[in-house]
Amino acid sequence: MNLSYWEIKSWLTNIDFTIAGSGIVGLNCALNLKKKHPKANILILEKGTLPQGASTKNAGFACFGSLSEIIDDLNTHSEQEVIELVKKRVSGLQLLRNTLGDKIINYQQNGGYELFTKEDSQLFDDCLSKKDSINSLLNPIFNEDVFSIKQNTFNFKNIKENYVFNQFEGQIDTGNMMMALLVLVQSKGIKILNNCTVESFVESNNSVKIKTNQFEFSSSKLLAATNGFANQLLNENVKPARAQVLITKPIENLHIKGTFHLDKGYYYFRNINNRILFGGGRNLDFKAEETTELNQSERIQNKLEELLKTTILPETPFEIDYRWSGIMGVGNQKKAIVKQLSNNVFCGVRLGGMGVAIGSLVGKELADLA
Ligand SMILES: Cc1cc2nc3c(=O)[nH]c(=O)nc-3n(C[C@H](O)[C@H](O)[C@H](O)COP(=O)(O)OP(=O)(O)OC[C@H]3O[C@@H](n4cnc5c(N)ncnc54)[C@H](O)[C@@H]3O)c2cc1C
């Protein structure tokens, strides 16, 4: 298809910044670029009809790490690195809440719970014995104890009688967040083109020549916010990791309220509009889930249903309404990759399972680089 003179002139000429990807990072990057360069011409290219990675697919936990996760991170990261990770998540969440407002994203601080299966005695004991030292480690950030022990009042089955409670964990409405971000971005005069995949780019002196599945054009700078799909465009240490989810139909008198982590965080569930949203199970087949295919597997979906029946809602009849999956970007380090790749090309990718928390900040850091 040949583009018209008008299309070329109005959409694709004198572009200062092109962002690949309209997830939470790409959209926040665009907002921050506009703040820094009010006159700049900013274009976002998104391969999906809707954003099509993780930002519209996630569970909406506003979390910064469960107790067992923080303990585990201390095996591979220094204390200082772990503090920095938690700090980033907390300030990222604050930035998200400031940008959009708690009401719009339906932010609720109902607390987070970590549940331990009966087979997890060793892990549970380890968490109990390290709880106080982790609370002290995090005290400079929260000025209060983060983790405490609570009794299983939600009547979950097949788990330890006590769980670890995190008073600062919250939840948001992911759909509201992304809709609000898209509206805000467009209200600033930033253009978004959907169904447009950046296929390759070539850097010349003062610009980047960008080839998409629809057309080619030049932009002064290119910023890749393509997370789990990063390696289709860049040569960075990011692997795709699919995460599968299901949601029940509304359940009458649902008493479960909060965000819940089970089996070292490999499973997670929450309440939303009288439903239970439940995801996880990647550990059943890491290799098969290292994919960018947005499908579900029978094995993982069956396991999710089984855990709903046996552990989460053992006495409550339920039906599944929807099932879906999203693609995360992961690597051997929890830190996101935010860096300049060449004179005019930058990236902000590899957000792992914490992009709701750190996405706004990574978007801002990416904008600050360019
Ligand atoms: C099921 C699931 C549950 C999760 N739960 C939570 C949670 O509860 N709390 C939390 O903090 N985090 C959670 N996460 C992680 C979080 O959603 C992500 O870390 C975050 O959304 C990443 O944002 P992003 O903008 O970097 O990436 P994405 O949202 O994946 O955005 C990247 C965008 O780039 C587009 N794209 C890719 N390649 C190209 C290309 N070549 N050209 C144009 N466009 C392209 C994609 O279509 C996509 O829209 C979850 C993730 C999943 C999948």
Side-chain angles (χ1 to χ4, degrees):
M1 176 188 68
N2 281 349
L3 294 173
S4 72
Y5 164 71
W6 314 113
E7 288 164 337
I8 293 167
K9 179 172 74 72
S10 300
W11 271 269
L12 299 172
T13 303
N14 296 328
I15 305 294
D16 299 302
F17 301 99
T18 298
I19 298 167
S22 71
I24 184 170
V25 172
L27 296 175
N28 275 286
C29 173
L31 284 177
N32 284 282
L33 282 172
K34 197 70 186 172
K35 221 184 258 173
K36 279 178 68 181
H37 311 279
K39 298 221 168 98
N41 209 348
I42 303 172
L43 178 65
I44 302 178
L45 303 178
E46 165 56 53
K47 77 180 167 70
T49 305
L50 296 171
Q52 202 176 267
S55 298
T56 52
K57 312 284 191 186
N58 63 60
F61 284 33
C63 57
F64 48 85
S66 66
L67 181 56
S68 72
E69 189 179 359
I70 292 174
I71 292 170
D72 190 48
D73 284 347
L74 283 167
N75 293 324
T76 47
H77 299 70
S78 70
E79 272 195 3
Q80 201 45 46
E81 281 171 335
V82 169
I83 292 175
E84 285 311 312
L85 281 174
V86 174
K87 253 193 199 156
K88 275 223 153 138
R89 294 165 187 165
V90 171
S91 51
L93 279 171
Q94 200 52 56
L95 183 58
L96 172 69
R97 293 170 61 190
N98 292 347
T99 304
L100 298 176
D102 284 354
K103 205 159 165 214
I104 284 183
I105 61 175
N106 197 12
Y107 177 81
Q108 294 181 27
Q109 198 169 307
N110 293 329
Y113 301 78
E114 180 163 16
L115 318 183
F116 297 85
T117 62
K118 295 227 159 111
E119 294 77 51
D120 270 346
S121 289
Q122 206 179 338
L123 181 70
F124 183 60
D125 292 345
D126 199 31
C127 283
L128 285 189
S129 70
K130 293 185 176 148
K131 176 177 72 67
D132 290 346
S133 64
I134 301 292
N135 276 336
S136 305
L137 187 74
L138 300 182
N139 192 272
I141 305 175
F142 296 94
N143 297 317
E144 263 184 82
D145 280 355
V146 174
F147 298 109
S148 58
I149 303 299
K150 275 204 173 181
Q151 280 222 322
N152 177 9
T153 47
F154 293 116
N155 299 323
F156 300 127
K157 284 261 158 59
N158 302 319
I159 60 150
K160 298 253 171 219
E161 247 326 284
N162 292 320
Y163 22 63
V164 175
F165 180 61
N166 174 346
Q167 60 163 327
F168 293 109
E169 196 161 303
Q171 50 180 276
I172 64 159
D173 182 315
T174 292
N176 285 5
M177 170 193 70
M178 284 301 287
M179 285 274 282
L181 265 178
L182 284 163
V183 167
L184 187 60
V185 161
Q186 279 161 326
S187 77
K188 308 276 178 201
I190 296 162
K191 296 193 244 351
I192 305 179
L193 297 181
N194 286 86
N195 297 316
C196 192
T197 306
V198 176
E199 290 182 339
S200 59
F201 60 88
V202 181
E203 175 133 16
S204 60
N205 280 349
N206 290 319
S207 67
V208 188
K209 221 169 160 198
I210 297 171
K211 181 174 179 297
T212 75
N213 60 334
Q214 309 276 5
F215 46 74
E216 292 183 28
F217 70 106
S218 281
S219 171
S220 302
K221 293 189 191 295
L222 170 66
L223 302 100
T226 52
N227 199 32
F229 307 84
N231 278 356
Q232 295 170 357
L233 205 58
L234 315 170
N235 189 15
E236 290 300 316
N237 176 10
V238 188
K239 281 187 187 157
R242 184 170 65 189
Q244 301 187 33
V245 181
L246 55 73
I247 193 164
T248 66
K249 288 189 175 166
I251 296 168
E252 244 178 79
N253 303 321
L254 183 70
H255 62 290
I256 297 170
K257 195 173 178 188
T259 48
F260 299 84
H261 309 255
L262 173 69
D263 196 2
K264 302 174 209 75
Y266 283 122
Y267 297 94
Y268 41 90
F269 59 97
R270 62 171 285 187
N271 67 303
I272 173 79
N273 301 334
N274 297 320
R275 301 165 185 257
I276 294 291
L277 182 156
F278 184 29
R282 207 160 58 82
N283 54 329
L284 294 179
D285 195 344
F286 279 120
K287 205 65 216 159
E289 297 307 300
E290 194 182 308
T291 175
T292 52
E293 295 293 318
L294 286 157
N295 299 327
Q296 291 76 250
S297 74
E298 223 176 283
R299 184 174 176 195
I300 290 180
Q301 290 291 323
N302 286 345
K303 181 71 185 178
L304 292 176
E305 259 188 76
E306 179 200 316
L307 282 170
L308 262 184
K309 272 194 197 114
T310 56
T311 302
I312 302 167
L313 295 167
E315 258 119 51
T316 311
F318 64 85
E319 285 178 82
I320 308 299
D321 210 355
Y322 306 108
R323 303 171 194 270
W324 69 90
S325 62
I327 310 298
M328 301 183 290
V330 301
N332 53 2
Q333 277 278 313
K334 292 251 168 122
K335 218 167 157 244
I337 302 175
V338 187
K339 71 176 186 191
Q340 180 160 13
L341 300 172
S342 60
N343 275 352
N344 298 305
V345 182
F346 308 80
C347 77
V349 295
R350 198 176 70 186
L351 277 82
M354 286 283 175
V356 170
I358 57 173
S360 306
L361 203 57
V362 171
K364 182 176 182 308
E365 287 172 354
L366 180 57
D368 287 344
L369 277 185

